[in-house]
Amino acid sequence: MAALLRSARLLKFSPSGVLQIAGTKINGPPLTRLYSGALGGRIGVCFRQIRPASGSVPSGYVWPYAVGCVRSYAVATEQKDEASIAVRSKQAQQFDWALAKLDSSVRRTGRVTKTLLLRIFHDICRTGYPSGNQALLLLRSCGSLLPEVPQKERTELAHRVWQKLQELGAQYDVSHYNALLKVYLQNEFKFSPTDFLAKMETANVQPNRVTYQRLIAAYCQNGDIEGASTILGFMKGKDLPITEDVFNSLVTGHARAGDIDSAKNILTVMRGAGIEPGPDTYVSLLNAYADKGDLENLKKTLETVENSDCTLMDRDIMQVIFTLAKAGHQQHVPEMVERLRHERGYVPDAMNLCLSLITEGQEDTAFHILKTFPTLQSDSFSLESPNLGNFFLRHCVNMDTATEKIGGYCKELQESNLHTAPLSFTLSCSLEAKKTGMSIELMKMLKEQGLPIRPHYFWPLLTQHVKDHNIAGVVELAKVMQEFDASPDVETLSNYILPVFDNLEAARLALKAVGVSIDSEGFLTSEVRSLAVRNLSELYTQLSVPSFPSLDLSVFRGSLILGFRKSADVDSMVKITELLFKDERFSQGSSKPAEATSFFLYNLIDSMSEGEVQAQEDKLRKFLNQLQSQNITISGNIYRGIRNLLESYHVPELIKDVIALVDPKDSVSNSAVSAAPRVTGSEEKLLALEKKLAELKAENLPLGSVFKQTLQALCAEENLQRALELKQQHEQEMTAACYATLINLCCRHDNVEEALNLKREMSRKDSSVALDASKYIALVKLLSKNDRVDEAIDILKEIKDKDVVINDVHVTMLFHTLNAVVAKGGAPTIRRLQDTIFTLGLAKPSANLCSPLVTAYLDSKDLPGALEAAIECQKRYKHLPRIHDILVGLVEEGDTELLQKAMDFVSQERGEMTMLYDLFFAFLQTGRYREARKIVETPGLRARPGRLQWYAEKCIFANQMESLEQLVDMTAKLFECDRDEMYSYILRLCKETNNWQKAEAAWTKMQEENIIPRERTLRMLSDILKSNGQEVPFELPETWYEQAATTQQVKPATTPTTVDNRPENQARLLALCKRGKAKDACQMLQDSDKKGIVFGPALYDHLIRALLAEGSIENAMVVKDIAAARVPSFQLSDIANSLLIITHSKKGQARYALQKLKSMVQADHVPSQLAITRLVQALGSQGDLAGIEEVESLIKGLGTTLNLSSMVFVNNKVLSHIKNSNMESAIELLEEIYTSPESKNLSMSFVFRKVLENGNDKALDKLSAMAERLANHFACYRPASDLFLQLLDMDKVEDARFMLARCNGLAEQKEVLVSYLSQKAQIPGQVGKIRTLLSLIPDFTEKEVLYPYMMKCHVLDKDLSAAKALHEQMQKEGIAVDELSLKRLAGLYRDAGEQAPFPEPPESFKFYADKLKERAAKAQTTAVE
């Protein structure tokens, strides 16, 4: 064994973290194809001599693999039945949902619940088309991510998932087998590696490096070194790299085999092979000592780690604690607990440790860990009501921990002030789990503490007895209730006790025998409810007795509705309804008996499902007809509500029976609809300028605008000489605009003298005239480049004096102006210009504007000067430009003194975490990977996605694969790091460089890390492998756009052209598009096309999209024709097609847009949500109802919702009706929506806004009446709320005030009002509207919610005085100011040049925003729990 391991010294350690074969280049691809060739004719023959792991597999065990899974990828791809696009779309959405749910759970808590996992599993099974990625997601969740589930049960769940998904047609590849192996290892499941490989061979799946590594781990887990050696030898023979994971497994294997010295010696062998032991290796060794209870060697090893470059995280120490407890060495746990540093992420990791310990029966150790929790970070902890340990108590209950032990834990938690009511919470968990014995024991403990026992505590226990018709169990619990002085109340008797008895007499006798009072009013109410459900005839007999006491219908309405639904006794139903309609004893509130009965009938229909109404159609018809014969009537509004329900249930035949009940005083009507489309358009023509100018001059007529247009045309052609000649010929025609155009042309031609002469001439003619900002800045740039700085500064002062408006585009021009001076090495010049710009207030200081000064120093290799300039910018302007480049330079020069100075300054100004990231990236950039790893392993460091993305994009742009690989490798254990996202950066670079070997190596590493890839990642990897003719090692369904792309790649261009692969030309075209100069890009493309130059299809599509975004359909179609001629089978992308629909819609050409939508859908393309919305809005504004319905039908046929609200169609149908003067149909359509139970919160703000904008008072009156009717009769306040807020938004305050007076309930619509508040807080200048809302409804939300939004408004408005006043008001009222508001306020102080009277929170805005979201989500989760 030692000889075999020492042979690893012949291998070299690659930067990617794996061993390479001797002789390969250290910077070359880290891996070759791991399974490009067959591993011999029969893999099974190679492994016949491998002995199974100790502890053979039980003979009765059946492996979860079927022989039928034998397949070849190529054959399977051709022969398998493809699901429809709609099903694939739904499947992709479900996977995204499942991945998001699991990912969110893992990020928040480090685990998933069995309930969530099973829910996702059942949802996937229900579709019938499980993908390989979905199977991978489920399998990988069946291991250590389920700490609350015993290991055996987890393995059984994994087998169940494997078998079921295989039956449903899931295709398994090597990643699935590797995932199953990982689950086996995490669950310590004993299996035969030989049989596992044989099953893979049967399924025609080739093992890869990860497979062998995990098989070695499986042997080592059972202490079988001989079996591990065999596979290790096989890997060596196949030239497969031996990674650190293999050595870690061998440490475990030797220890499990009882040879602890050999385990320790593995570290020496690793160093000899060129691999420095990492944290995982030391954790394996620590676990080996922990398993033996060897505290002395544990301490020695920990000291060794502290003296090395490694850093052990809290979660590493927790693994050792778990091993100690599981091995029965609990006495050593406190020693390890003291070494925990409580890093960020400690609480979720410690919670998972506690759960795992409880699952293993180590509750005392788990409780010891629990008491180490930082109290302010515990679950749902607050100073008023701490509740540390909810998760602990719940899991103790679920694992049937002894009640006495649980009671002891509760007592200690309460005495330590860590939990206000631990016993009550434990009881709730026990009741939820329906553990009767434990619940009664816990109730006794509560009783002993003097706490009351409530009747509803027993409901969960009674539910199962009632379901099982267990009378004895119910009576026994009723007896226990009496013993606890918790006599059953009305709800308990009605729903949980009486239903179990066959008749009321038997119930009376049984309950009386155990001491329950049967003469109370509550018992009477319970009897009525029970009879309502079971016997309507007997109920009527009781209710109709004159001596029966008054009882409001609301007390037993729910039970009566249930009885009506279940009963076939129509006569009794009619009699009871008639009694309710006429007898005032059952209507004690403000409503009359007839009104209450009408609502009862509506609630009856509303409570029934569609299938139930259809099944009971005859019973309902008979019931309604008999009601009519008894002269029972309903109002028109109730009729409409019932009618809408029946129409939605597709039972329109019953409507005529309902309408017969309508009171003759009310009336209802129906109307037809019509539509008329309208299309508009316009064209413009240009005149021949030169000819027209000559004609005017010959006729001695005023030249006017023709001269100006001619001059502009010459400037556009860059003809400076001819333009100056024209100016001299017509000096008297020169206006300020003409001078401005000529000055700008001189600047472009670098003619400084002529530009200044023109400027002086213009000022002599009219000193008040000002150029526009872009021409002023061009002049400043020209003067600065020609060393005329004083004159440039004079121009800047003139910009300020003449109040020239500077926008963001001009600020960018100022940056380029400063950057242009860098080439001359003019740091002093740049400093003067920069100071002038900021002092005059022409632009706010930014990192971009500050960077040219630093760039000047960097270009001249003056690093101390660059650092001083950056520090000066930070101190003066709160910006730190190009700090990364400065740090890189300092690291390369090895100037540790300056580097330390820079780091100290960054840490002081931006925080320690920002400093660590800056230093980390600098070390990566310069190839100091060892130092970089030390930085990223700093305890408490957490992932910052924005910073990581910035560096990854930098590597991709610069084609720095090695640096990017190191970044991904080093962040493997970084807290909250999205590993799929990190590997996607590598794949993007692989795709750009066409490096399939690196891409495949990344895929192998992803499997090693057990990462669940997103579909986009798999598609990227699939594209790379397919484009290089390699086999894709996983199943991925093709989509229509892949087929189109393949066609484009295969078919060569037939036209003799030159393909332009020069990135500068493509970059220039893309840059023009991004700067909003799509027409210039179009002209450049046309010029290139005339020269026979062809670009890639993506660039053509990008330009078409840019042109359409500007509304230039004609030019877009020209580019499309060029692309179609140059690139065979060119097709517009979905985005381009969607933009085409949007452009047609905006131009009023809705019918053209509709035709485009039809062609997209027919080609199985999916339009964007915005395209559908704009088209439907255009059709609605034209009154084209048929067009809207056609669009709605097309979208339904897509099989995907596009996240499109149904109200898009409803609102525009309503507007179409209004356009066609058909208000009745519009009102009926809206009432049908809002009287439907599930549709009461849909918004119709768009309708109200359009009606108000159009000034259609007649429509507004009718819509307003409808909104009030829905609010007052159906308690549906959304339409009224929408109208109220639209009136408020359009400054119709008095109308809004009257609306509020008529519908008082609007003030209670907190969710809608807060949503309005949130929307207004996104837009500057809206604080007045928020104040108006507050004047009308002062208390619509809490001040803790209101004030942060108000602060955001003041910051957007740059109103420092108002923000200060609000801050002071919050402090006076004792309301805590959240960090995000403080961050915003501090920025406002800084922009005003003032010092904030409080320390500015150091993190980014996004960090604090995410923190608030997490807090809100945590509060919601706690409320649910």
Side-chain angles (χ1 to χ4, degrees), residues 618-648:
D618 293 336
K619 183 184 89 171
L620 290 173
R621 181 176 289 108
K622 184 179 178 182
F623 173 58
L624 294 170
N625 290 337
Q626 289 191 31
L627 289 180
Q628 183 189 4
S629 65
Q630 298 299 323
N631 296 322
I632 294 172
T633 60
I634 60 175
S635 66
N637 279 334
I638 293 295
Y639 156 71
R640 291 188 185 92
I642 296 176
R643 179 200 63 187
N644 293 338
L645 288 172
L646 293 175
E647 286 180 347
S648 68

Side-chain angles (χ1 to χ4, degrees), residues 1082-1099:
C1082 178
Q1083 185 61 51
M1084 178 181 170
L1085 183 101
Q1086 287 176 293
D1087 294 342
S1088 299
D1089 186 66
K1090 291 174 183 176
K1091 299 174 184 177
I1093 296 174
V1094 178
F1095 297 95
L1099 190 138

